[in-house]
Amino acid sequence: MVYVVGRWNTIVSFNLCYSDDPRGIEKIIPNIVLQGVYDQTYSDRAYLVKSLEGDLLMVRRFLGYHRREDGYSYSSGTESFEVYKLQLDVQSGKLLQMSKVNSLGDNVLFLDDSDSISLSASYFSNCLQKDSIYYADDFYDDHPTPYPSSPFDNGIYNVKDQSFAKHYPYDSSFERMPPPLWVLPPFKWD
């Protein structure tokens, strides 16, 4: 089962196994898990992450915008996150409950467009801040719009106290580089 989330909270799932079509060209119809509503708050980015406890989390990322004198607006970077725990019916794939999460506990989330993961803060006690979201810029341009303190929108967001921090010091040599991505070596968890 593959789950996909959109900016208006819409979540759909696709069952990619057990096709009845021997030619393999069967049309796969998505199962609507949660239908978003356009009068709800729009989030610029949305992510699905499996927590350490096995829960499916939906993380919504909100950006701030400023309007230039010529009328165009530009992003001033990430302003906040919202995290929701999703409880799904295993049989139907339908949403049973969605509850807002105010603390991640030992979970540390790493978010970007390609893959989002959860790790244990206590396992990496000297490296990671617990109850935090590490995020990378999801948009890359050859001439990136500079954010207040660097060319990319990267940082650490603490879910519990809603504060922001930088995860690495900015250097001017980063200006022409693409945004960072997360590399996860294979771990053997005991």
Side-chain angles (χ1 to χ4, degrees):
M1 192 70 80
V2 175
Y3 291 91
V4 180
V5 64
R7 296 175 182 176
W8 293 98
N9 284 352
T10 299
I11 300 175
V12 297
S13 65
F14 299 89
N15 187 348
L16 302 178
C17 298
Y18 310 114
S19 172
D20 293 330
D21 186 353
R23 298 172 299 166
I25 56 172
E26 178 182 354
K27 184 176 184 180
I28 298 174
I29 299 172
N31 173 37
I32 298 175
V33 176
L34 175 65
Q35 179 64 54
V37 181
Y38 290 111
D39 64 351
Q40 292 178 343
T41 305
Y42 171 83
S43 65
D44 298 275
R45 300 282 188 263
Y47 312 87
L48 292 175
V49 185
K50 185 177 178 182
S51 74
L52 297 171
E53 297 79 21
D55 298 320
L56 183 61
L57 303 176
M58 177 177 65
V59 182
R60 301 179 72 212
R61 181 175 177 178
F62 299 92
L63 304 178
Y65 289 93
H66 295 287
R67 188 169 297 281
R68 297 188 318 209
E69 291 178 14
D70 60 8
Y72 289 101
S73 61
Y74 65 94
S75 174
S76 59
T78 301
E79 287 192 338
S80 66
F81 286 92
E82 291 178 354
V83 181
Y84 295 90
K85 177 181 168 184
L86 307 176
Q87 185 179 0
L88 304 173
D89 182 309
V90 178
Q91 304 294 356
S92 68
K94 296 290 184 190
L95 181 69
L96 297 175
Q97 184 177 3
M98 181 170 118
S99 52
K100 191 167 185 181
V101 174
N102 296 315
S103 173
L104 295 174
D106 190 45
N107 286 272
V108 177
L109 306 182
F110 286 82
L111 305 179
D112 76 14
D113 264 353
S114 61
D115 193 15
S116 298
I117 57 172
S118 178
L119 295 176
S120 166
S122 57
Y123 188 83
F124 299 95
S125 60
N126 295 331
C127 303
L128 301 177
Q129 296 178 22
K130 72 180 225 170
D131 212 356
S132 294
I133 297 172
Y134 286 67
Y135 60 97
D137 204 328
D138 287 341
F139 179 75
Y140 176 66
D141 191 358
D142 288 335
H143 304 286
T145 303
Y147 294 98
S149 61
S150 75
F152 301 117
D153 184 19
N154 303 315
I156 305 169
Y157 177 78
N158 185 288
V159 174
K160 194 168 191 172
D161 66 22
Q162 301 176 354
S163 64
F164 285 90
K166 289 290 179 194
H167 52 73
Y168 64 89
Y170 172 70
D171 184 273
S172 61
S173 65
F174 299 162
E175 198 160 311
R176 288 296 202 190
M177 297 174 81
L181 55 105
W182 310 119
V183 176
L184 181 64
F187 291 107
K188 183 177 179 183
W189 302 97
D190 295 329

